[in-house]
């Protein structure tokens, strides 16, 4: 393993109006290592990586890649230099196939004007076979689970033959088996002297794969050390700036009567005879592999999916939920699995998104047609409506 750094970032500052997102941040990454970035939400980890790949211009500071100072003006510039990033927020072209998304913008060509579709799919299959990942290259991205879409993004990043691969929360939607696939890919990349910059909040995986760890706090640089020199307590102390004596304090919470009950719920092929009850003051967790029906069960209860049979009670009253509006009217909320895909209206303002489930209470007209007209769907540059 070489001792020199493949990447150095010195004095990096990034200012937004009224906000110092990064203030004199430092980072030095060795080739053939996994360098993990740690810090609480908002510490500046993802922002620093966006500055590195040219997605955000730096306000001040120096970036040195492979011994030369660089100034990437776009993501394409960083990719050409051998730096790729798996984003925390996926942005697939949903109506296109896996293979189309994999080679987007760099399709194999028959000539200057024609895409070689046969090669497109053949090379995609070869890549997934090489990575030992089971993904249908002919499937449309919209038909894949969030976990499978994540695996496509991982394969896409690897396919660039990069010398630095940035992974921003790559295991957030993966099963244990898929996490093992990812760690195997990371080990293969390390063996090829590729540097991995890894962002995660999961302590167990961080200490399993990391060689070096850098900690940020509130947009500032705290320190860097070898992973072997750190433990959970020391790392958390660096992140929050104080000792934490009781990580998970037990707070007494009396459990009351049954508040919510589901009996023999059925919906399609994935929700079969689901029954459970939740007491007041209780947290009930649902576990299972991807495809086990957890999400589908919650979507059926919330009215997003058609209920074939079954009963739902709230405070002893049987509910007839046929739509999300019915669920909301009964004070039932849902945070969706795919926040970006079906959890927000991306073209609406924060105010609109915050109040959309209860516009009536704010004296706003609940007119969906007018809402769509106001936002001019399809025009990403349209200014959100100000009420």
């Amino acid at each position: 393993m070489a001792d020199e750094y493949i990447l150095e970032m010195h004095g990096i500052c990034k200012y937004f109006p009224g906000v110092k997102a990064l203030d004199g941040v430092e980072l030095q990454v060795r080739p053939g290592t996994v360098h993990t970035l740690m810090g609480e939400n908002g510490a500046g980890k993802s922002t620093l990586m966006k500055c590195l790949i040219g997605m955000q211009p730096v306000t001040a500071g120096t970036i040195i890649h492979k011994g030369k100072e660089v100034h990437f003006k776009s993501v394409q510039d960083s990719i050409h230099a051998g730096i790729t990033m798996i984003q925390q927020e996926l942005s697939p072209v949903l109506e296109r196939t896996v293979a189309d998304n994999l080679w987007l913008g760099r399709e194999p060509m028959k000539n200057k004007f024609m895409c070689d579709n046969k090669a497109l799919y053949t090379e995609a299959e070869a890549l997934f076979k090489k990575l030992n990942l089971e993904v249908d290259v002919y499937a449309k991205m919209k038909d894949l689970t969030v976990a499978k879409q994540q695996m496509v993004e991982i394969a896409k990043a690897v396919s660039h033959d990069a010398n630095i691969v940035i992974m921003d929360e790559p295991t957030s939607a993966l099963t244990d088996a898929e996490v093992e696939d990812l760690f195997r890919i990371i080990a293969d990349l390390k063996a090829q002297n590729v540097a991995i910059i890894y962002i995660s909040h999961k302590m167990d995986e961080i200490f399993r794969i990391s060689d070096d760890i850098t900690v940020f706090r509130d947009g500032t640089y705290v320190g860097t050390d070898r992973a072997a020199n750190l433990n959970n307590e020391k790392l958390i102390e660096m992140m929050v700036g104080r000792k934490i004596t009781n990580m998970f304090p037990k707070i007494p919470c009396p459990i009351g009567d049954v508040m919510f009950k589901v009996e023999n719920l059925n919906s399609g092929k994935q929700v079969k005879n689901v029954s459970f009850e939740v007491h007041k003051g209780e947290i009930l967790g649902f576990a299972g592999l991807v495809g086990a029906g957890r999400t589908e069960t919650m979507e059926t209860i919330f009215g997003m999916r058609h209920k074939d049979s079954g009963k739902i009670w709230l405070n002893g009253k049987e509910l007839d939920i046929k739509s999300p509006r019915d669920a909301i009217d009964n004070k039932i909320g849902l945070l969706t699995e795919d926040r970006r895909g079906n959890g927000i209206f991306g073209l609406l303002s924060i105010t609109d998104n915050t109040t959309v489930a209860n516009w009536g209470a704010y004296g706003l007209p609940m007119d969906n047609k007018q809402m769509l007209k106001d936002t001019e769907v399809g025009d990403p540059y349209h200014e959100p409506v100000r009420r």
Side-chain angles (χ1 to χ4, degrees), residues 88-92 94 141-150 172-173 295-296 298-299 304 334-346 353:
Q88 183 177 6
E89 289 287 344
L90 303 180
S91 300
L94 295 175
M141 291 294 286
K142 69 177 183 180
D143 296 326
L144 268 58
T145 63
V146 176
K148 286 294 185 183
Q149 290 180 9
Q150 185 75 284
S172 58
T295 299
E296 291 78 8
M298 298 305 124
E299 290 179 347
M304 291 175 63
L334 174 67
L335 297 180
T336 63
E337 178 185 29
D338 184 0
R339 307 282 197 270
R340 185 172 183 174
N342 51 28
I344 64 168
F345 295 98
N353 273 276

Side-chain angles (χ1 to χ4, degrees), residues 8-9 13-14 27 46 59 113 128 177 183 194 198 215 239 287 294 310 322 336 355 368 379 385:
E8 298 178 66
M9 303 181 75
C13 298
K14 177 59 183 176
L27 180 65
S46 297
T59 305
F113 307 103
F128 283 112
F183 289 172
V194 175
Y198 196 87
V215 178
M239 288 169 57
R294 300 161 302 169
K322 296 180 179 179
T336 63
T355 59
N368 292 335
D379 177 7
V385 177

Side-chain angles (χ1 to χ4, degrees), residues 287-305:
L289 299 175
V290 173
R294 300 161 302 169
T295 299
E296 291 78 8
T297 297
M298 298 305 124
E299 290 179 347
T300 302
I301 293 171
F302 195 66
M304 291 175 63
R305 292 175 178 266

Side-chain angles (χ1 to χ4, degrees), residues 229-243:
N229 298 333
L230 298 171
N231 54 35
N232 282 10
E233 291 73 21
K234 177 63 176 177
L235 194 53
I236 293 171
E237 182 181 343
M238 292 174 69
M239 288 169 57
V240 302
R242 65 184 188 280
K243 286 185 178 293

Side-chain angles (χ1 to χ4, degrees), residues 147 150-151 154 170-176 178-179 182 202 290:
Q150 185 75 284
M151 298 309 288
I154 291 168
T171 63
S172 58
L174 302 185
T175 65
D176 289 344
E178 289 165 335
V179 170
L182 174 62
K202 299 181 179 180
V290 173

Side-chain angles (χ1 to χ4, degrees), residues 110-333:
K110 288 182 178 179
N111 50 51
K112 292 183 179 180
F113 307 103
M114 296 291 291
C115 173
D116 188 341
N117 282 312
K118 183 178 180 180
L120 183 86
Y121 288 95
T122 300
E123 292 178 16
E125 288 180 326
L127 176 63
F128 283 112
K129 184 177 181 179
K130 177 182 176 182
L131 297 176
N132 196 25
L133 299 176
E134 293 185 7
V135 179
D136 181 3
V137 298
Y138 294 93
K140 285 189 175 181
M141 291 294 286
K142 69 177 183 180
D143 296 326
L144 268 58
T145 63
V146 176
K148 286 294 185 183
Q149 290 180 9
Q150 185 75 284
M151 298 309 288
V152 174
E153 286 297 313
I154 291 168
K156 185 176 181 180
V158 172
S159 71
H160 285 282
D161 293 326
N163 49 66
I164 298 176
V165 177
I166 305 162
M167 300 184 177
D168 192 353
E169 301 278 3
T171 63
S172 58
L174 302 185
T175 65
D176 289 344
E178 289 165 335
V179 170
E180 292 302 320
D181 287 335
L182 174 62
F183 289 172
R184 175 178 47 77
I185 292 170
I186 288 175
D188 291 342
L189 291 173
K190 283 182 61 177
Q192 299 170 39
N193 212 35
V194 175
I196 310 295
I197 301 178
Y198 196 87
I199 301 174
S200 177
H201 293 99
K202 299 181 179 180
M203 292 291 187
D204 55 341
E205 64 185 38
I206 286 167
F207 284 107
R208 178 178 170 184
I209 66 172
S210 300
D211 296 293
D212 302 311
I213 299 177
T214 291
V215 178
F216 302 125
R217 188 191 315 134
D218 298 328
T220 62
Y221 173 75
V222 176
T224 300
D225 205 342
R226 298 285 192 265
N229 298 333
L230 298 171
N231 54 35
N232 282 10
E233 291 73 21
K234 177 63 176 177
L235 194 53
I236 293 171
E237 182 181 343
M238 292 174 69
M239 288 169 57
V240 302
R242 65 184 188 280
K243 286 185 178 293
I244 304 296
T245 56
N246 195 349
M247 190 72 67
F248 300 107
K250 181 63 177 177
I251 301 175
C253 184
I255 304 301
D257 298 330
V258 174
M259 184 176 186
F260 189 73
K261 182 178 179 180
V262 172
E263 186 176 272
N264 298 325
L265 186 68
N266 290 276
S267 176
K269 297 181 179 179
Q270 290 184 289
V271 182
K272 300 178 181 179
N273 292 323
V274 173
S275 298
F276 64 88
E277 58 184 33
V278 186
H279 294 250
K280 293 180 180 179
E282 182 181 41
I283 297 175
L284 176 64
F286 284 75
L289 299 175
V290 173
R294 300 161 302 169
T295 299
E296 291 78 8
T297 297
M298 298 305 124
E299 290 179 347
T300 302
I301 293 171
F302 195 66
M304 291 175 63
R305 292 175 178 266
H306 173 71
K307 181 183 72 173
D308 296 330
S309 61
K311 295 182 178 181
I312 301 173
W313 285 274
L314 178 63
N315 291 322
K317 175 186 175 183
E318 185 174 352
L319 305 181
D320 183 20
I321 298 176
K322 296 180 179 179
S323 70
R325 185 73 258 165
D326 292 337
I328 293 170
D329 288 343
N330 282 284
K331 301 188 183 303
I332 299 174

Side-chain angles (χ1 to χ4, degrees), residues 340 343-359 364-387:
R340 185 172 183 174
I344 64 168
F345 295 98
L347 296 177
L348 291 179
S349 68
I350 293 175
T351 299
D352 287 332
N353 273 276
T354 304
T355 59
V356 68
N358 196 22
W359 273 356
L364 301 174
M366 298 200 61
D367 187 338
N368 292 335
K369 291 183 179 180
Q370 184 61 40
M371 179 183 73
L372 294 176
K373 181 180 178 182
D374 287 345
T375 55
E376 293 184 8
V377 173
D379 177 7
Y381 302 104
H382 182 70
E383 183 71 15
V385 177
R386 304 294 180 187
R387 290 189 173 89

